[in-house]
Amino acid sequence: MDQFIEQIVTGLSIGSILLLVALGLSIIYGSMGIINLAHGEFVMLGAYAAWVFHTYLGLGLLASLVPIFLVVAAFGWVIERYVLSLLNNRPLDTILATWGVGIMLQQAVRLMVGSELRYVQLPPALSSSMSVFGIPVSSYRVFLFVVSIALFGATWLLMNRTTVGMKLRAIIQDRSVAASFGINAKRVYALTFAYGAGLAGLAGALVSPLKSVSPDMGTGYVVDAFMVVVLGGVQSLAGTVASAFILGELSGGIAFLQNDTVAKAIVLLAIVVLIRFRPEGLFTARVRA
Amino acid sequence: MSISRRTLLRNTAALGAFAGAGLPHIWIKNADLAYAAGGEIKVGVLFSLTGTTAIIEESLNKATLLAIEEINAAGGIKGSKIVPIVEDPASDPATFSEKARKLVVGDKCVSVFGSYTSASRKAVLPVFERQNNLYWYPTLYEGRECSKNVIYTGAVPNQQQDEFVPWLVKKFGKKFYLIGSNYIYPKEENNYCKKLLEKLGGEVVAEEYVPLGHSEFSSVINKIRSTQPNVIFSTVVGDSVVALHRQYKAAGLDPEKMPMASLTTSENEVAAMGGEAAAGHFTSAPYFMVHKSPENEKFVEAYKKRWGADKVTHFVSEACYFQTYLFKQAVEKLATSDLTPPNIRDAVKGQEMVAPQGKVRIEPENLHTWLWPKIAQAKSNGQFEILVEAKDWLKPVPYAAYPGQSCTEKGLVEKS
């Protein structure tokens, strides 16, 4: 029984990391419909930003979270403004462009700071472990869980309770009608993309003390993020949350019973089968077209 | 007269046939001379500067270039300068093979120093065997290879484990948890480890492989908790090492009771995971940066001076460094007109030198290297403390896990 609870808690922790990484993509892909293959590189930029703030400015990870969000969001804004907005309504070109941007970011980081693994310190206050339902769990993992839920809450409020969110939803439904009501679609798109990129950057910074920081670290995350968003259902924030935790429990559980190689294969297979029979994903937001 | 491609091809083919049939002596002589033309000896340097394994291969490139620069600054080899031709195989086995062919056939390098992963070594092997050229491989690896065109200067399983596994059993206990990345190297190492454990009456509580590049170890840690091994025997490689150590530490496990014993964790990985996550765990290797010897002090100082004070040396970059000097010694033994890859191979057999780790020697039988096994514990300052040093150097036995087989000068011999 203890082992069962331990595994459930582990799954929640894996799920919260997946959610963290997928949340930004859920906004960019789910809401704006942009297939952003550079998402992993935004995650990577966030991790490197954490390293730079720590090594050169002596800022701890927690203190640098807000600046990291702003820096990566600014990157996102520039890329939306000067690359993606020029390719409006051309999905294929957008895929290629974001892929290219991703490669350029990777190589730029490699050229500027070298390709060795980088070190980001675990916040000392969170480096111990604590007891959850009688199970010893790393405090930092509990912290990640709380942060991911909080970020989801903030994103939900932003989308559903603010004017920017309302404008975005209006644009998604019908861009030309929204524009005729005086909504500046360009500006809203750029801001949304920047926000999604910033979230990805935060995710990178937050996972970096548990994992490793290297120029090509984003490749794994972008795959995870797409799996979560596709399974959860595009355009559904709540679906993203549910699917992140389902995938977390599933891969954690199979990894415990079998091993991580098998878990990876089975999870991927399950998603492929599910998409075959339910292309819209597990959850769909009902939108009147 | 205009030469079409077809007539050119035909003429060249005819010329080749003529030369091959009639004047082999002269042609081979000319090819020999090309290896040391104009007081230059060309060698290839084939380490990935981009892609996944660039993380570590960059340092191998640097150690090799340092040795070449030192040799050239001291007058070269009998007056000839070594000219390194650096190629970037981008961590991709297919590109390794393509670049190796370019270095051997196109640039006419007399030897190539390269590779970190076994996959990349296997990919270039056919090139060196077909062209009868020479590849210098600095990495510890799984053994079970017997090529006449590769000089292996890293440790094979018996050199890393013969001392290590009994020591671990004595100090911590008999229950081992084997964890590795999912490819050939960890599987062969674990094969050998299981053989040693069988002799010692040890027990393997789990044998598990994670995908390359894997970074989520919480389920593995749960399994470790529930099986309660005495030792976690790790052959996880690359950035996964970093994630495993950090998550072990964050989960509150204690290295004093259940340490990780690794064959792959060097100063390089420790720098990336941070001393606090590495502290208390063990590694077995022939070289550590803290090793005390005049040769090592010189190597570490030169490396830092050339590439930056924050850089570390480790057991693979040390092998890169000394194998370049072994190359020099072998070439010194040859007359300039005899400079060919097979002659260098024959000349390097039995060569000895005092490397940073101690005196090393190329075993004439299998072209692997006699090394000095050491066991060390990582400290929170990012360096190791050497706890056990072998009293004598240890012979390389690349087929240690396969009793019927051995690698000899005639190639692989099977005793039935």
Side-chain angles (χ1 to χ4, degrees):
Chain A
M1 190 59 200
D2 259 13
Q3 261 182 26
F4 181 73
I5 300 176
E6 188 176 39
Q7 204 49 49
I8 296 290
V9 173
T10 298
L12 287 178
S13 169
I14 301 177
S16 65
I17 291 176
L18 285 175
L19 174 60
L20 213 50
V21 174
L23 205 53
L25 192 75
S26 175
I27 303 291
I28 292 174
Y29 174 46
S31 304
M32 299 168 66
I34 293 174
I35 298 183
N36 176 25
L37 291 183
H39 186 72
E41 276 61 44
F42 291 150
V43 174
M44 182 267 293
L45 282 182
Y48 270 91
W51 172 71
V52 167
F53 280 124
H54 177 71
T55 320
Y56 295 101
L57 304 176
L59 275 179
L61 181 63
L62 301 182
S64 43
L65 286 180
V66 173
I68 288 168
F69 176 82
L70 294 176
V71 166
V72 183
F75 257 98
W77 187 82
V78 169
I79 287 164
E80 208 289 333
R81 204 59 212 273
Y82 296 102
V83 182
L84 300 183
S85 69
L86 308 176
L87 302 169
N88 261 347
N89 301 324
R90 279 151 55 192
L92 265 182
D93 297 355
T94 313
I95 295 177
L96 271 182
T98 53
W99 190 39
V101 166
I103 293 175
M104 276 155 56
L105 288 177
Q106 254 189 49
Q107 295 299 339
V109 168
R110 188 167 276 139
L111 287 175
M112 283 191 294
V113 302
S115 57
E116 55 253 70
L117 294 170
R118 293 297 177 185
Y119 166 66
V120 176
Q121 194 191 16
L122 193 70
L126 294 167
S127 64
S128 57
S129 61
M130 58 198 278
S131 174
V132 180
F133 307 122
I135 308 287
V137 184
S138 146
S139 316
Y140 191 70
R141 283 188 181 269
V142 175
F143 168 73
L144 286 189
F145 183 83
V146 173
V147 171
S148 67
I149 298 296
L151 282 177
F152 161 70
T155 308
W156 189 86
L157 287 177
L158 186 77
M159 292 294 283
N160 293 293
R161 292 287 182 272
T162 63
T163 19
V164 175
M166 194 172 67
K167 285 178 181 169
L168 177 66
R169 282 179 294 135
I171 296 167
I172 292 164
Q173 283 198 22
D174 194 317
R175 187 174 179 150
S176 50
V177 173
S180 69
F181 276 87
I183 297 173
N184 184 344
K186 266 198 154 154
R187 190 167 154 269
V188 174
Y189 260 34
L191 281 178
T192 314
F193 192 87
Y195 179 71
L199 283 182
L202 268 188
L206 285 166
V207 299
S208 59
L210 279 183
K211 306 199 170 182
S212 59
V213 180
S214 65
D216 47 12
M217 65 185 278
T219 325
Y221 291 117
V222 73
V223 176
D224 285 348
F226 268 103
M227 288 205 302
V228 170
V229 174
V230 168
L231 179 72
V234 178
Q235 293 195 6
S236 162
L237 261 184
T240 302
V241 179
S243 108
F245 286 112
I246 290 172
L247 286 180
E249 292 292 350
L250 204 60
S251 55
I254 301 172
F256 184 76
L257 297 173
Q258 284 290 314
N259 60 54
D260 281 291
T261 312
V262 174
K264 210 162 206 163
I266 291 185
V267 166
L268 201 60
L269 188 71
I271 293 178
V272 171
V273 171
L274 188 111
I275 296 302
R276 166 67 186 78
F277 293 105
R278 220 183 135 76
E280 68 277 19
L282 286 177
F283 304 88
T284 35
R286 295 193 181 280
V287 177
R288 265 175 292 162
Chain B
M1 189 184 88
S2 73
I3 303 175
S4 75
R5 199 163 61 163
R6 186 167 299 165
T7 54
L8 183 69
L9 277 176
R10 196 171 53 222
N11 293 344
T12 322
L15 192 64
F18 172 65
L23 300 162
H25 184 68
I26 293 169
W27 276 76
I28 290 168
K29 257 300 189 236
N30 280 343
D32 291 353
L33 284 172
Y35 282 125
E40 289 185 348
I41 298 171
K42 280 192 279 189
V43 298
V45 180
L46 192 61
F47 294 107
S48 304
L49 305 176
T50 56
T52 340
T53 52
I55 292 161
I56 189 121
E57 290 189 45
E58 215 177 14
S59 66
L60 310 184
N61 183 56
K62 286 177 173 158
T64 306
L65 292 180
L66 173 68
I68 291 175
E69 284 167 14
E70 283 181 5
I71 291 169
N72 285 341
I77 306 177
K78 292 196 291 186
S80 297
K81 289 257 179 283
I82 306 180
V83 179
I85 300 177
V86 178
E87 287 290 339
D88 174 18
S91 311
D92 169 43
T95 313
F96 259 97
S97 158
E98 184 189 307
K99 299 283 185 190
R101 187 167 290 116
K102 185 235 164 208
L103 287 170
V104 170
V105 180
D107 297 326
K108 294 214 177 304
C109 290
V110 75
S111 274
V112 178
F113 305 98
S115 278
Y116 177 65
T117 64
S118 288
S120 65
R121 185 191 70 254
K122 295 269 187 212
V124 301
L125 209 53
V127 176
F128 288 90
E129 294 192 332
R130 204 167 305 143
Q131 304 294 332
N132 205 5
N133 206 293
L134 199 57
Y135 199 50
W136 298 68
Y137 180 60
T139 316
L140 58 131
Y141 86 113
E142 67 278 3
R144 220 185 168 187
E145 199 170 279
C146 187
S147 174
K148 294 297 130 200
N149 299 89
V150 182
I151 308 291
Y152 306 85
T153 53
V156 285
N158 77 305
Q159 291 172 314
Q160 279 190 291
Q161 294 194 36
D162 277 0
E163 194 141 359
F164 196 31
V165 173
W167 184 84
L168 289 166
V169 167
K170 207 172 132 201
K171 202 164 158 134
F172 294 101
K174 294 182 169 180
K175 282 166 77 180
F176 274 49
Y177 192 108
L178 309 183
I179 177 153
S181 295
N182 197 7
Y183 74 110
I184 182 168
Y185 166 75
K187 290 187 176 174
E188 290 285 339
E189 290 283 1
N190 284 342
N191 245 349
Y192 190 62
C193 179
K194 281 188 282 183
K195 278 199 179 293
L196 290 176
L197 281 177
E198 211 171 280
K199 273 188 226 153
L200 296 161
E203 182 196 348
V204 176
V205 293
E207 180 179 358
E208 168 155 20
Y209 299 96
V210 297
L212 278 167
H214 191 66
S215 66
E216 181 56 71
F217 286 93
S218 35
S219 288
V220 169
I221 286 169
N222 285 348
K223 275 193 259 187
I224 289 173
R225 268 216 194 91
S226 70
T227 49
Q228 286 294 322
N230 302 123
V231 174
I232 302 160
F233 192 77
S234 159
T235 39
V236 171
V237 301
D239 42 359
S240 303
V241 176
V242 177
L244 175 60
H245 276 81
R246 300 188 117 190
Q247 290 169 30
Y248 174 105
K249 164 92 168 118
L253 296 178
D254 183 4
E256 289 202 7
K257 292 188 191 113
M258 205 194 279
M260 282 197 262
S262 171
L263 304 178
T264 48
T265 309
S266 72
E267 287 83 352
N268 205 46
E269 282 82 7
V270 170
M273 70 180 75
E276 75 277 359
H281 299 290
F282 300 94
T283 298
S284 165
Y287 170 84
F288 292 95
M289 192 173 170
V290 292
H291 177 61
K292 287 220 170 8
S293 75
E295 291 75 20
N296 187 41
E297 270 159 38
K298 195 175 143 254
F299 169 51
V300 171
E301 200 189 298
Y303 192 88
K304 287 188 161 183
K305 194 172 164 220
R306 177 69 179 84
W307 302 112
D310 59 330
K311 297 281 187 271
V312 294
T313 59
H314 52 88
F315 47 77
V316 191
S317 67
E318 187 244 5
C320 284
Y321 182 75
F322 80 68
Q323 72 175 9
T324 311
Y325 276 94
L326 283 171
F327 167 80
K328 167 182 178 257
Q329 288 184 14
V331 172
E332 268 169 355
K333 277 178 68 183
L334 299 170
T336 312
S337 56
D338 286 338
L339 193 66
T340 65
N343 286 342
I344 294 176
R345 189 240 347 261
D346 291 334
V348 83
K349 285 179 181 173
Q351 279 293 326
E352 292 177 359
M353 71 169 282
V354 184
Q357 63 173 278
K359 194 174 180 187
V360 297
R361 171 171 187 259
I362 301 290
E363 168 57 41
E365 270 194 347
N366 54 31
L367 302 178
H368 288 63
T369 311
W370 290 67
L371 301 169
W372 294 84
K374 296 174 181 66
I375 299 171
Q377 185 174 34
K379 298 276 146 202
S380 53
N381 67 0
Q383 285 292 344
F384 283 87
E385 181 189 344
I386 299 175
L387 302 178
V388 181
E389 276 185 68
K391 289 183 190 64
D392 206 355
W393 55 3
L394 191 61
K395 186 183 173 174
V397 186
Y399 286 80
Y402 300 86
Q405 304 176 338
S406 61
C407 182
T408 68
E409 286 194 81
K410 288 185 211 84
L412 181 62
V413 175
E414 299 213 28
K415 279 173 273 172
S416 53

